[in-house]
Amino acid sequence: MSPAAKPKVAAPAAKSAAKSAAKPKLAIFGAASCGGCDIAIVNIHEHILEVAAAFDIVLWPTILDGKYSDVEAMADGEITITLVSGSMRTDETVHLAKLLRRKSKFVVAFGSCASEGCIPGLANLSSSKEILDTAFSTSSTDNPDGIRPVWEYQAPEGVLHLPEFEPMLRTLDQVVDVDYTIPGCPPESKQIWAALQAVVAALNGTGPLPPKGSVLGAGESTVCDECARKRDVKKISRFVRIQQVAAFDPEICLLEQGLPCNGPATRSGCGALCPAVAAPCIGCYGAAEGVVDYGARLMSAYASVVEAQKPEEIDGILDGIVDPAGQFYRFSLASSLLRGSKAAWNDGEKQ
């Protein structure tokens, strides 16, 4: 065959076609969390196959044997969307959050730990020393040799570097820029699928891209607006714990029956599932639209139903809330105006 008769090399066109046909890349990373958000993703059932069909999953340590070095080798912005669950508690999680932010077009704070700090955020009421003392030196810990964690260890193979405890737990948006939030502890499976569908539609050109900063898979009102229970603006003379009452009226607002319910300050979107079965809302969907500080809004709501005038009477009613910090800031302390105790703030300043 003469040189003139040889077929022309079509590699550039082939590469272009392959590039256009390439699936968007998805990364899922869990920081300081319980793993419930990963389970919630799996719980979208057969839709997980559609996620696998729509995305090339490049990192999901809970499910796949991915390597951080593979992510480091990617071009900046090569990952289309990253879901980060869990809060920022160690220098390793902070490093990986920054790495994934650089490698991703969109970063989503996935679940309460990433967006609010959640239960781990209550550790901000204590200093790092107090936390480690509790974990390694109390009667519930079998540690006769008094071993404590060290961040560097000289092993025969070399120096081992372990993830170092940060002085204060932070939310994802306190470390990197976040594009979207999917709330919940964990997010409802149907909301996860709805949010992913919205992103896929935008990538395919069949739907609009949600505005940056949007809270996906949730409403813009409060749990109270979703709750079918009646509110008669009743006044209460005491707060009670759920185990102190044999039964609650199935139709009346739980808060107006004296049961601390966080619905007045919590974002809608869950369908008020807990109040529907006489369990109080605990606030896992985070602050409702326009709420600056979740705990402050909740305190105001509780005060509105207290029937008392004298300070000692008010104190007596409020004594029914046995754990104020856990009640008002169970999920949101790390993202609140307070963020932590003086001990934790001082600990951070020292480091």
Side-chain angles (χ1 to χ4, degrees):
M1 182 181 291
S2 67
K6 288 182 180 180
K8 294 182 179 180
V9 177
K15 287 182 179 179
S16 177
K19 186 174 180 180
S20 63
K23 293 191 292 186
K25 291 181 171 62
L26 170 67
I28 302 171
F29 172 68
S33 65
C34 67
C37 286
D38 293 292
I39 295 172
I41 295 173
V42 175
N43 276 349
I44 64 176
H45 303 300
E46 67 274 6
H47 292 311
I48 195 69
L49 300 176
E50 296 179 53
V51 172
F55 292 98
D56 179 13
I57 302 176
V58 296
L59 179 71
W60 192 358
T62 305
I63 303 296
L64 308 172
D65 184 24
K67 306 299 182 185
Y68 297 154
S69 58
D70 295 336
V71 177
E72 291 170 345
M74 293 180 179
D76 289 357
E78 184 174 339
I79 298 173
T80 309
I81 183 168
T82 292
L83 307 180
V84 178
S85 63
S87 43
M88 305 290 105
R89 180 77 266 192
T90 68
D91 60 350
E92 179 188 37
T93 57
V94 170
H95 166 73
L96 287 167
K98 292 180 178 179
L99 173 65
L100 288 166
R101 172 66 278 182
R102 191 169 70 250
K103 301 298 181 180
S104 307
K105 291 183 176 68
F106 304 105
V107 170
V108 178
F110 186 74
S112 293
C113 284
S115 60
E116 303 177 82
C118 203
I119 304 297
L122 291 173
N124 283 356
L125 295 172
S126 306
S127 67
S128 298
K129 182 180 182 303
E130 290 170 332
I131 295 169
L132 294 175
D133 284 346
T134 300
F136 292 94
S137 304
T138 50
S139 58
S140 63
T141 304
D142 184 13
N143 188 17
D145 297 328
I147 296 173
R148 299 293 290 256
V150 293
W151 316 125
E152 288 187 351
Y153 177 73
Q154 181 64 55
E157 298 80 7
V159 178
L160 299 178
H161 297 275
L162 301 179
E164 188 168 353
F165 207 60
E166 294 271 297
M168 287 186 72
L169 181 143
R170 289 179 284 174
T171 60
L172 183 62
D173 67 353
Q174 290 167 355
V175 172
V176 298
D177 184 44
V178 170
D179 298 293
Y180 304 115
T181 297
I182 301 179
C185 183
E188 290 289 315
S189 295
K190 63 179 181 180
Q191 304 288 27
I192 298 171
W193 177 237
L196 289 175
Q197 275 186 311
V199 174
V200 170
L203 294 173
N204 292 338
T206 58
L209 188 68
K212 182 172 180 176
S214 297
V215 179
L216 307 178
E220 297 182 354
S221 187
T222 66
V223 170
C224 289
D225 286 343
E226 289 186 310
C227 183
R229 290 176 174 271
K230 299 176 183 177
R231 284 171 283 172
D232 297 322
V233 198
K234 292 180 180 177
K235 300 293 183 179
I236 64 171
S237 56
R238 65 171 185 150
F239 281 109
V240 297
R241 305 182 79 179
I242 193 167
Q243 63 267 33
Q244 294 174 314
V245 179
F248 289 91
D249 189 309
E251 296 184 354
I252 302 299
C253 168
L254 294 174
L255 182 59
E256 293 182 0
Q257 296 184 66
L259 185 64
C261 182
N262 292 4
T266 304
R267 181 183 290 275
S268 60
C270 64
L273 298 176
C274 294
V277 294
C281 169
I282 56 177
C284 71
Y285 258 51
E289 194 74 19
V291 173
V292 176
D293 186 273
Y294 182 87
R297 172 64 67 88
L298 205 56
M299 291 178 207
S300 176
Y302 282 19
S304 69
V305 297
V306 170
E307 187 176 31
Q309 299 296 326
K310 297 179 180 179
E312 58 272 19
E313 293 175 344
I314 296 173
D315 288 343
I317 295 174
L318 295 179
D319 283 344
I321 302 174
V322 296
D323 178 17
Q327 185 68 49
F328 298 130
Y329 290 103
R330 183 180 314 207
F331 292 92
S332 62
L333 179 64
S335 62
S336 70
L337 296 178
L338 298 173
R339 286 194 56 191
S341 68
K342 184 177 180 180
W345 277 109
N346 289 343
D347 194 22
E349 290 174 359
K350 290 175 185 176
Q351 297 188 26

